[in-house]
């Protein structure tokens, strides 16, 4: 059980988010290192769409009975640091402890979710549309933020390439960044990656990393359609978040960790005036350039940069019906198919949903799989191909 002390950094970055374009801001980055010296082995962990980085990757629970130390067994980050990796965890703007421009105004919440704020802090004065009627981030701004942190890490780690670990919608950021900057990335490990096979801008792979024509990004916000991109902030209630966690006690710890990452959000929400229960505030981003036409770019994925993908057979977030259309249809297997190189490995784990980081057995298994792949590029003795791990731990080739 790790008892490493974190080092928190505030990394300077010139923002390319339209809401604070050109301003110098500071991105939150947490570091764990065991201080053993030798050649650095840097790893960067990136959160998904809604849950901040620390509750997902560095969840620390109160000390169990009789112990003087907190329970760090859920901390994926500390588990990697215990194995000698130099681990960095980052929050993009609009999430966690990084800046949240335009998100302190409750009138900038998704109008469909403002009912969560009716009592605390109150939204009766808000107009029908958001005060800032555009999304917060976009693919370009998030690639830029990731790039700033990668440069920061490489400068601290003797210019060694960085291994990426991304959960869920982190794939929208880490995938295209890797395609554009393969020399920065040693390996790519994706948990439950979001991948729209026919997603935005899938017809012009030669221009896959430029802003879509007519948007003016990054100096101008995209807000079409307004119902989806006419506001910078989404909200999730405590009940909504905890519905996806089977252990009620653990769910309370997760919520507290999320509130610890948001001093404003913890003062919002709840039905009783003056007694907020908190809301999880998360950025509304406009993403492009991550689909079956762009993933083979290079080729990089599965060749220059080895890829390991892990997801659950019960995951209905990263795998959705094709009938939902090009923007909302996601498929993990189709990402695997789109990766052109042979140096790729995928596991479908029976019994897992979209949040294995908050299931004790699944979390420990996930940490083990990640460490083995980073160390040996092998998991359970296999290095390539698509596999199924059943409830008894038996491995078999997938269809």
């Amino acid at each position: 059980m790790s008892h490493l002390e974190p080092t928190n950094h505030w990394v300077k970055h010139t923002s390319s988010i339209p809401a604070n374009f050109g301003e110098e801001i500071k991105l939150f980055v947490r570091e764990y290192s065991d201080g053993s010296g030798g050649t650095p082995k840097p790893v960067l962990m990136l959160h998904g769409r809604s849950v901040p980085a620390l509750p997902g990757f560095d969840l620390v629970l109160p000390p169990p009975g009789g112990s003087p130390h907190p329970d760090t067994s859920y901390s994926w980050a500390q588990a990697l640091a215990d194995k000698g990796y130099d681990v960095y965890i980052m929050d993009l703007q609009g999430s966690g402890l990084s800046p949240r421009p335009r998100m302190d105004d409750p009138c900038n919440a998704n109008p469909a979710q403002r009912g969560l704020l009716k009592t605390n802090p109150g939204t009766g004065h808000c107009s029908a549309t958001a005060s800032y009627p555009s999304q917060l981030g976009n693919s370009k701004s998030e690639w830029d933020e990731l790039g700033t942190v990668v440069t920061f890490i490489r400068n601290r780690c003797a210019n060694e390439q960085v291994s990426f670990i991304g959960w869920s919608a982190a794939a929208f950021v880490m995938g295209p960044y890797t395609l554009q900057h393969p020399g920065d990335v040693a390996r790519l490990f994706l948990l439950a990656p979001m991948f729209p096979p026919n997603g935005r801008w899938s017809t012009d792979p030669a221009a896959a990393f430029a802003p879509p024509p007519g948007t003016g990004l990054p100096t101008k916000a995209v807000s079409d359609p307004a119902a989806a991109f006419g506001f910078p902030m989404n909200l999730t209630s405590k009940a909504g978040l905890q519905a996806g966690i089977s252990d009620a006690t653990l769910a309370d710890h997760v919520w507290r960790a999320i509130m610890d990452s948001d001093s404003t959000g913890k003062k919002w929400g709840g039905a009783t005036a003056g007694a907020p229960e908190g809301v999880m505030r998360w950025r509304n981003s406009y993403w492009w350039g991550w689909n079956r036409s762009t993933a083979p770019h290079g080729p990089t994925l599965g060749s220059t940069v080895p890829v390991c993908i892990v997801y659950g057979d019960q995951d209905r977030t990263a795998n959705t019906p094709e009938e939902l259309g090009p923007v909302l249809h996601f498929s993990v297997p189709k990402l695997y198919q789109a990766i052109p190189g042979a140096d790729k490995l995928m596991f479908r784990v029976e019994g897992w949903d979209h949040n294995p980081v908050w299931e004790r057995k699944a979390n420990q298994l996930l940490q083990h799989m990640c460490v083995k792949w980073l160390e040996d590029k092998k998991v359970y003795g296999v290095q390539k191909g698509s596999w199924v791990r059943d409830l008894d731990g038996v491995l078999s080739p997938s269809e």
Side-chain angles (χ1 to χ4, degrees), residues 93-368:
Q93 283 197 85
S95 184
L97 295 171
S98 285
R100 298 176 185 245
R102 305 283 185 165
M103 291 175 64
D104 286 349
D105 181 356
C107 296
N108 278 330
N110 183 340
Q113 299 165 350
R114 281 189 196 158
L116 295 174
L117 309 181
K118 183 178 180 181
T119 303
N120 298 303
T123 52
H125 64 290
C126 298
S127 63
T129 58
S131 300
Y132 178 76
S134 298
Q135 92 290 339
L136 186 69
N138 56 70
S139 288
K140 174 64 166 59
S141 69
E142 295 182 359
W143 299 336
D144 290 346
E145 291 172 23
L146 179 61
T148 290
V149 173
V150 168
T151 298
F152 169 79
I153 294 170
R154 297 195 72 180
N155 285 340
R156 290 178 61 82
C157 295
N159 204 36
E160 290 292 320
Q161 291 179 313
V162 182
S163 291
F164 282 177
I165 296 175
W167 178 18
S168 188
F172 277 106
V173 188
M174 285 182 153
Y177 181 91
T178 300
L179 295 172
Q180 296 171 82
H181 306 281
D184 282 345
V185 186
R187 298 181 185 182
L188 181 60
F189 184 97
L190 297 174
L191 169 64
M194 304 298 288
F195 180 75
N198 304 307
R200 294 186 189 94
W201 213 21
S202 61
T203 59
D204 189 4
F209 305 110
T215 65
L217 286 171
T219 58
K220 176 175 173 290
V222 173
S223 56
D224 182 22
F229 299 109
F231 50 88
M233 172 174 55
N234 283 291
L235 308 172
T236 299
S237 67
K238 179 179 181 181
L241 184 282
Q242 292 185 333
I245 305 174
S246 60
D247 183 321
T249 300
L250 180 63
D252 284 336
H253 292 309
V254 171
W255 187 255
R256 279 196 285 272
I258 292 171
M259 294 299 96
D260 287 343
S261 290
D262 188 359
S263 59
T264 296
K266 71 191 301 181
K267 300 174 185 176
W268 289 4
T272 304
E277 69 173 14
V279 293
M280 182 170 69
R281 304 182 302 151
W282 44 283
R283 75 202 191 284
N284 189 21
S285 286
Y286 181 90
W287 292 312
W288 66 80
W290 183 233
N291 49 60
R292 60 160 48 109
S293 293
T294 61
H297 182 76
T300 293
L301 300 182
S303 181
T304 307
V305 180
V307 181
C308 183
I309 299 169
V310 180
Y311 74 104
D313 71 332
Q314 303 300 309
D315 189 340
R316 303 295 180 260
T317 300
N319 291 289
T320 57
E322 196 164 356
E323 293 74 20
L324 291 179
V327 174
L328 296 178
H329 167 50
F330 302 107
S331 172
V332 179
K334 288 179 182 178
L335 169 58
Y336 177 83
Q337 294 163 11
I339 293 172
D343 204 351
K344 59 182 180 179
L345 181 61
M346 183 170 73
F347 294 95
R348 184 176 79 241
V349 184
E350 291 188 356
W352 284 15
D353 60 13
H354 196 64
N355 302 319
V357 294
W358 297 325
E359 300 288 342
R360 184 171 292 277
K361 289 183 178 179
N363 179 280
Q364 300 304 304
L365 176 60
L366 175 63
Q367 293 177 15
H368 170 78

Side-chain angles (χ1 to χ4, degrees), residues 9-11 13 25-29 91 93 98 145 148-149:
H9 303 280
W10 303 95
V11 179
H13 172 73
I25 57 93
K26 294 180 180 179
L27 298 168
F28 173 77
V29 176
D91 279 318
Q93 283 197 85
S98 285
E145 291 172 23
T148 290
V149 173

Side-chain angles (χ1 to χ4, degrees), residues 64-81:
S67 172
H69 300 292
D71 177 4
T72 61
S73 61
Y74 281 94
S75 176
W76 188 353
Q78 295 190 49
L80 290 173

